[in-house]
Amino acid sequence: MKKKVALLIIDMQRDFCAPTGALFVPGAVEDCQRLSKWILDNKDEIDHISCSLDAHHINDIAHPSYWKNKEGKNPAPFTQIKSVDVENGTWFAIRPQWALHYLKELENQGEYVHIVWPEHCLIASENFSMDEMVFDSLKTWSRGGKTIKFINKGECTESEHFGIFESQVPIPNIPSTQYNLPLQKKLEEHDVIYIAGQARNFCVANSLKQLINKAPELGKKIIILDDCTSNVPGFDGIDDGIWETAKSLGVRFSTTT
């Protein structure tokens, strides 16, 4: 009997995948080329495709304009902010009480320090859109009678949203920040789950972590397309623990060839 195959594409958007993008990931152009070809070569074998879209407002907790120092200046991109920086007055937030709580929650998780990124994937901007090559392959696949599931993540301005399933600090009264159980259930219907996208050490790693934390039995179904994902430079090793856990649960790593 034919295996049911799902493909999860994470944030293959112009701001990450185009050399002119605000957060261009080196290697992403080639990743998109390989993924596009793989989708076209296997279009009759792929039963379901879900795509996440990083979706931000300008005044986002992970953007410079959310923060100011004593001189009223915004932090430079890639500045790291800790709870002590708010407590000692180094940085002031739009919502200071929440920001301090948020930073402490991140620190309690012990994995990621809060990073201020360049403004990226602004909703309705040109660079919010998907990489053109990947999108063209998706259109061809969809014309076979199938529908792509698009999932916006990051619209809540008060919590970073790396993983596709939930934000880094879910907020009780904001559903978009909470765990996406319907997506998990949809993936559970399939025998094989391929994962590709950007960036490997942030959004891809966190998506995988969130899924296998909730449903570790899915590990044996998951295949990472390792030649369709690349790292944000300068953060080597930040995701090592996630990948080690994934391997122990049976997650496999392959390439499009």
Side-chain angles (χ1 to χ4, degrees), residues 33-61:
Q33 291 169 343
R34 287 185 286 262
L35 180 61
S36 299
K37 182 178 186 302
W38 185 82
I39 292 170
L40 293 174
D41 289 346
N42 296 280
K43 63 182 185 297
D44 296 329
E45 306 301 319
I46 302 169
D47 300 287
H48 172 79
I49 297 178
S50 285
C51 299
S52 73
L53 296 171
D54 214 27
H56 294 299
H57 298 278
I58 290 172
N59 292 321
D60 184 281
I61 199 167

Side-chain angles (χ1 to χ4, degrees), residues 165 179-190 193 210-218:
F165 291 93
Y179 190 79
N180 189 337
L181 185 58
L183 176 58
Q184 175 193 313
K185 294 297 184 184
K186 183 65 180 178
L187 295 175
E188 285 177 353
E189 298 173 3
H190 297 80
I193 305 164
Q210 292 167 356
L211 180 57
I212 60 177
N213 277 354
K214 292 286 187 179
E217 69 279 4
L218 291 182

